[in-house]
Amino acid sequence: ASSLKIKMGATNSRQKLGERVLAAQKTLEESKKTQGERTRQLLAKSPDTMKFILAKTKASFESFAPFSEPTLLIAWKADAGQCKEFVLSACKKVFSAPVKEAEFNWCKQYLLPSSIWMFQSKPGRFMYEELMDVVSEQSTNIVESMDGVYRHLRKHSKWDELMQIKEQSIINRQDHPKVGLLQDNGIRRITEMKDEQDAQTLDEVQSFVDSNVAMSALVVAATAIDTEFQKYIESVISHYGEFKPGPIKKIERCLSKLENDYQDAMFPKAAKLLDIVRCSVTFNTLEQLLVGLKALMQDMD
């Protein structure tokens, strides 16, 4: 029965993926048709407008300014070769070290969702393949640079001490007695449900409570303590490194971890999520890192 359910699930997933691909293709074709007609109208009635659109779209990419998808599609129709050139040039800048957050966010918000990646850059090759080549090339440069940093650090007198640092989980679940979360009857009593006639329904109810109710309870608690947590960590560690508060982990990412990392954990699986509230600290030297970590551990003790 379990193998049948897995096969059915895989079939359904492939079917849904196929449906999404077909829908995306249909949307792309409709968009290309619309922008193609608009391009023909502009070329016939106002060639200067087309030149202006192309120039301003290029300027948007050179300055990482917001742009609209229809404008990019019209510019592409006007001069695909020039558009390909400034699009890939912008991508190379975005993914060159050091990666700048503002430029990366611009790429993620405006460029990556664009339909141009499904356009052909030349016969038999698509724009998304050009993008993958850019990313591969730039990541190779970054890896080589970081390998050089790594080789240099290994010669440091404190390197062995750094390697002695081990990941520690003092408490590995949010429902641990010392934490006390997810102990509510509204969550726990689900495990007492009896339904021998429909075990699948029982599993589905528990899964719903785990990934929705328990998850929401954790996010509420995380939101309540976030400000206090960030202030505490900053007060202890900012003397040694650059402290940066992090955003509360998104629900989508939490669900992904439940499904992929904690699928075999006991109910509620959401209790395994220990990093919903987050921050980061950047140290300039190994000495700062070691002293800062020691100060934090002593303060927590």
Side-chain angles (χ1 to χ4, degrees), residues 23-261:
Q25 288 177 334
K26 182 178 179 180
T27 301
L28 175 59
E29 291 305 317
E30 291 175 350
S31 179
K32 288 171 67 176
K33 182 179 178 180
T34 300
Q35 304 311 328
E37 178 61 30
R38 189 164 294 150
T39 301
R40 285 190 291 272
Q41 292 171 349
L42 289 171
L43 283 172
K45 303 294 184 180
S46 180
D48 287 342
T49 301
M50 286 298 300
K51 293 178 182 178
F52 182 82
I53 289 173
L54 186 59
K56 291 305 175 185
T57 304
K58 181 180 180 182
S60 295
F61 277 76
E62 290 175 342
S63 61
F64 303 104
F67 62 88
S68 68
E69 174 77 353
T71 302
L72 176 58
L73 295 181
I74 290 175
W76 194 278
K77 279 286 185 181
D79 192 331
Q82 186 177 164
C83 286
K84 172 188 170 182
E85 186 177 326
F86 64 64
V87 166
L88 295 179
S89 177
C91 289
K92 288 179 181 178
K93 291 179 182 177
V94 168
F95 296 112
S96 295
V99 176
K100 298 178 181 178
E101 184 176 3
E103 293 176 0
F104 181 77
N105 288 337
W106 168 85
C107 181
K108 186 168 62 173
Q109 182 176 355
Y110 296 103
L111 185 52
L112 292 184
S114 175
S115 57
I116 64 165
W117 303 113
M118 297 306 296
F119 291 179
Q120 286 194 335
S121 57
K122 57 185 177 182
R125 187 171 175 82
F126 291 89
M127 278 297 292
Y128 74 83
E129 294 175 290
E130 304 285 355
L131 174 63
M132 294 305 296
D133 284 350
V134 169
V135 172
S136 178
E137 179 184 352
Q138 300 306 102
S139 64
T140 298
N141 294 337
I142 293 174
V143 169
E144 289 176 352
S145 176
M146 293 306 298
D147 284 346
V149 173
Y150 175 74
R151 288 191 294 269
H152 175 73
L153 286 175
R154 289 192 63 178
K155 300 176 182 177
H156 198 284
S157 61
K158 297 287 186 180
W159 178 257
D160 289 340
E161 187 177 347
L162 177 69
M163 290 295 98
Q164 294 302 313
I165 298 175
K166 305 296 182 184
E167 182 178 345
Q168 300 181 54
S169 295
I170 300 172
I171 294 174
N172 60 9
R173 288 182 62 93
Q174 298 281 17
D175 54 0
H176 188 282
K178 290 186 177 181
V179 180
L181 294 175
L182 305 184
Q183 298 285 359
D184 313 77
N185 288 336
I187 295 174
R188 291 290 172 178
R189 294 228 170 128
I190 293 298
T191 59
E192 300 172 8
M193 289 177 57
K194 302 296 182 183
D195 194 347
E196 285 80 4
Q197 292 184 338
D198 194 350
Q200 182 177 350
T201 298
L202 179 57
D203 288 343
E204 290 175 351
V205 171
Q206 289 188 354
S207 178
F208 171 80
V209 170
D210 206 344
S211 59
N212 291 274
V213 182
M215 184 80 69
S216 296
L218 285 180
V219 173
V220 168
T223 303
I225 69 168
D226 184 56
T227 300
E228 182 180 355
F229 169 82
Q230 304 294 353
K231 287 182 178 178
Y232 165 68
I233 298 296
E234 183 176 17
S235 68
V236 176
I237 209 76
S238 60
H239 303 292
Y240 311 99
E242 181 183 352
F243 169 84
K244 184 178 181 181
I248 290 177
K249 187 184 288 288
K250 293 182 178 180
I251 290 290
E252 294 81 3
R253 180 62 185 132
C254 290
L255 290 174
S256 176
K257 293 196 73 172
L258 287 190
E259 295 169 0
N260 297 299
D261 298 347

Side-chain angles (χ1 to χ4, degrees), residues 264-278:
D264 297 326
M266 60 181 288
F267 180 87
K269 299 175 185 176
K272 292 291 290 181
L273 293 167
L274 304 176
D275 61 344
I276 299 178
V277 177
R278 302 171 294 172

